[in-house]
Amino acid sequence: MKIEGVSNPDFMPIPELRKMQLEKLQKIIPYEYENVKLFRTRCDEKGVKPRDLVTLKDLGKFPFMKKTDLRDEYPYGLTAAPMSEINRFHCSSGTTGKPICIPQTKNDVKIWTEGVARCMAMYGITKDDIVQVSYGYGLFTGGLGAHYGAEELGCAVLPTGAGNTEKQIMLMQDLGVTAICCTPSYFLHLATVAEKMGVDFRRDTKLKHGVFGAEPWTDEIREKIEDISGITAHDIYGLTEIAGPGVAGNCEHCHGLHVWEDHFYPEIIDPDTLEVLPDGEEGELVFTTLDRVGTPMIRYRTRDLSRLQLGSCKCGRTMRVMDRVHARSDDMLIIHGVNVFPSQIEACLMKVPEVAPHYMIILSSTDTMDLFEIQVEVNSIAVSQDPAACEAIKKRVAVAIKEVVGLSPKLYIVAPGTLPRSQGKIKRVIDNRKK
Ligand code: DLL
């Protein structure tokens, strides 16, 4: 894999890229049709055949895949390669029922590894960096994905996994770690623990880069992270079904993430009509894996809401830029009939400097109405114990939330360290409403 210079696939001329995408689709679609019964049946029902894929636009004729397909066909129903070719399994658990299982070949893992390495190279991480991987290892793709990607770049990797936070901070200092990979919420937790230990990231560590993803995080949280630690917070996106982390990442110029579309073909659809939307319009992100053969995904509906941006990026990369993912269509809360995304609440909270980036949205209901509460941590114990200061903060938060979503939740100010922390993906909404 060449990372520097024009031979890097990131900078491939667009006509060449589109030609390559079409050629890869013209291979993967017949392969999937031949090897995966569900796909074949759906194509037959729709009256579409692999040979109907003549231009990239024709992809829109083919059926979608969804998470429920993976659950229904668990464990091997969507596996296209023979078991002798399978080299790795990754699974992602949902809240209920069976997990989804993605068997993959050696080359599938290589494509994924390359995606992560390309992201890291784009962030300015080099073989001189010492990379601490604090994503969970195991069935979750975060740990092994970041690990393989950093090793591919030639970095020295410290595979701490998630948890054991004080030890992580000690190792970070002692070994001179320069880049950390974890969820943004876990980094915020690390920062709080570091502060308690008297460790100042700027003064006492060599940390420069954070490779954060696996959960939505707002621009406001990003600023907060950079502010408290002095590092550059990079965004890495991906999902188990498509590979894992490293499907897309941000460069220093774009406000969004370059999608490695030489491997992962993106579309945006209207989640209601299922029509493909033109670049520039927001909708649900759909991916087709162009050359993974273990469990190819054709038009996989991610549920993530994003947009493929128009125009070119200053960095010269030709790979399209998707908007940062702030929400999933299934994250949307309907409170008193109003659509609310948790990220909107987060952005409002982060406008108030005394508020810490830790909060919990709690919904419950009486027979007739929804009850909407938010518990918010403040930065200092002194503030949490000063009723007048708490009232003033509540007022500012209430005004911001009213302005953005038009609702007035009941606000509770709590002391630093009160709300649960997570080593992996954070859960910030508890919905106890009667269904
Ligand atoms: O979270 C893969 C990953 C690991 C990505 C580490 C980045 C870093 P899943 O567990 O299958 O895979 O969850 C995928 O997480 O559909 C998004 O909703 C969300 N997600 C992932 N990255 C981001 C991100 C991993 N950078 C689901 N921003 C996806 C916002 C993200 N949401």
Side-chain angles (χ1 to χ4, degrees):
M1 175 189 52
K2 292 204 181 103
I3 290 293
E4 302 289 339
V6 283
S7 57
N8 187 335
D10 305 10
F11 298 90
M12 187 182 274
I14 290 173
E16 217 175 281
L17 175 61
R18 299 284 171 254
K19 184 167 169 274
M20 178 209 249
Q21 288 168 328
L22 181 61
E23 282 167 5
K24 286 190 177 186
L25 277 172
Q26 285 172 335
K27 278 195 191 146
I28 201 75
I29 298 263
Y31 170 82
E32 182 77 348
Y33 187 85
E34 199 173 306
N35 293 295
V36 175
K37 187 165 167 258
L38 181 79
F39 183 68
R40 187 165 58 247
T41 310
R42 291 218 177 124
C43 287
D44 292 348
E45 280 166 9
K46 258 183 150 254
V48 60
K49 293 273 179 241
R51 62 169 178 272
D52 295 332
L53 194 114
V54 181
T55 68
L56 283 174
K57 245 186 148 185
D58 295 329
L59 183 60
K61 296 176 182 163
F62 287 84
F64 292 105
M65 285 177 166
K66 290 191 297 207
K67 198 166 214 147
T68 46
D69 297 332
L70 281 155
R71 292 233 167 85
D72 296 345
E73 298 292 317
Y74 171 87
Y76 293 132
L78 298 186
T79 309
M83 194 48 63
S84 55
E85 295 295 313
I86 298 299
N87 199 239
R88 179 87 72 82
F89 297 102
H90 277 281
C91 297
S92 129
S93 50
T95 39
T96 51
K98 295 275 188 197
I100 59 148
C101 175
I102 307 289
Q104 37 206 301
T105 66
K106 206 167 192 169
N107 195 53
D108 295 344
V109 175
K110 192 164 162 264
I111 292 166
W112 170 28
T113 298
E114 195 181 296
V116 180
R118 279 162 74 179
C119 285
M120 289 185 174
M122 181 164 61
Y123 305 149
I125 295 174
T126 69
K127 65 181 176 48
D128 297 326
D129 279 293
I130 302 178
V131 180
Q132 180 163 346
V133 178
S134 309
Y135 284 117
Y137 280 71
L139 293 177
F140 175 54
T141 53
L144 284 166
H147 185 116
Y148 271 53
E151 273 192 357
E152 173 76 7
L153 255 191
C155 307
V157 179
L158 176 64
T160 50
N164 222 341
T165 308
E166 293 193 358
K167 192 166 173 194
Q168 300 238 11
I169 295 163
M170 183 189 83
L171 289 170
M172 181 190 291
Q173 286 180 283
D174 294 349
L175 300 179
V177 166
T178 54
I180 185 162
C181 309
C182 61
T183 56
S185 56
Y186 185 59
F187 186 78
L188 287 167
H189 177 52
L190 264 169
T192 317
V193 175
E195 200 187 342
K196 278 196 196 135
M197 291 166 67
V199 175
D200 176 333
F201 282 117
R202 285 187 177 80
R203 185 192 60 208
D204 305 321
T205 75
K206 295 195 172 139
L207 205 58
K208 284 189 305 225
H209 302 279
V211 180
F212 301 130
E215 63 189 14
W217 52 307
T218 54
D219 295 339
E220 288 78 6
I221 288 280
R222 190 180 200 159
E223 268 171 39
K224 199 130 216 160
I225 287 177
E226 295 190 337
D227 206 42
I228 56 179
S229 63
I231 66 169
T232 306
H234 310 285
D235 196 358
I236 190 160
Y237 168 86
L239 56 162
T240 315
E241 299 88 315
I242 299 304
V247 170
N250 69 276
C251 72
E252 58 182 307
H253 297 290
C254 64
H255 184 73
L257 304 101
H258 286 283
V259 179
W260 301 141
E261 48 170 329
D262 48 332
H263 295 297
F264 314 110
Y265 187 80
E267 295 171 277
I268 295 287
I269 60 160
D270 179 321
D272 298 320
T273 65
L274 306 183
E275 287 303 311
V276 179
L277 298 175
D279 288 2
E281 286 191 29
E282 199 192 39
E284 180 181 333
L285 197 48
V286 167
F287 280 110
T288 297
T289 53
L290 292 176
D291 38 20
R292 280 170 51 99
V293 296
T295 314
M297 286 287 127
I298 310 294
R299 308 197 79 206
Y300 183 74
R301 292 186 60 183
T302 64
R303 295 281 172 193
D304 291 326
L305 300 178
S306 184
R307 188 174 64 111
L308 291 168
Q309 297 178 6
L310 292 166
S312 53
C313 184
K314 264 200 209 149
C315 73
R317 285 183 179 79
T318 48
M319 308 276 150
R320 274 176 289 177
V321 174
M322 62 181 245
D323 278 359
R324 298 188 68 208
V325 173
H326 289 309
R328 295 172 54 81
S329 56
D330 43 12
D331 269 354
M332 193 180 76
L333 302 165
I334 304 180
I335 309 171
H336 302 304
V338 178
N339 298 348
V340 179
F341 284 104
S343 58
Q344 292 176 299
I345 303 290
E346 179 174 300
C348 293
L349 295 175
M350 292 305 108
K351 281 190 187 131
V352 179
E354 294 88 346
V355 168
H358 306 288
Y359 64 95
M360 187 69 90
I361 298 172
I362 301 166
L363 299 166
S364 55
S365 56
T366 64
D367 285 338
T368 50
M369 64 187 286
D370 291 340
L371 303 174
F372 177 18
E373 279 177 28
I374 306 177
Q375 298 184 353
V376 186
E377 272 186 24
V378 280
N379 284 328
S380 89
I381 299 214
V383 170
S384 70
Q385 290 171 344
D386 176 345
C390 289
E391 278 315 305
I393 292 169
K394 278 195 214 170
K395 235 186 204 156
R396 278 147 74 204
V397 169
V399 168
I401 294 178
K402 179 86 183 166
E403 207 173 279
V404 174
V405 295
L407 295 175
S408 303
K410 195 153 179 47
L411 298 166
Y412 295 91
I413 302 287
V414 298
T418 311
L419 297 176
R421 302 295 198 260
S422 161
Q423 297 170 3
K425 294 175 193 262
I426 188 92
K427 187 168 164 39
R428 289 199 168 108
V429 179
I430 298 177
D431 193 344
N432 290 328
R433 288 177 295 182
K434 293 171 196 144
K435 296 280 178 270

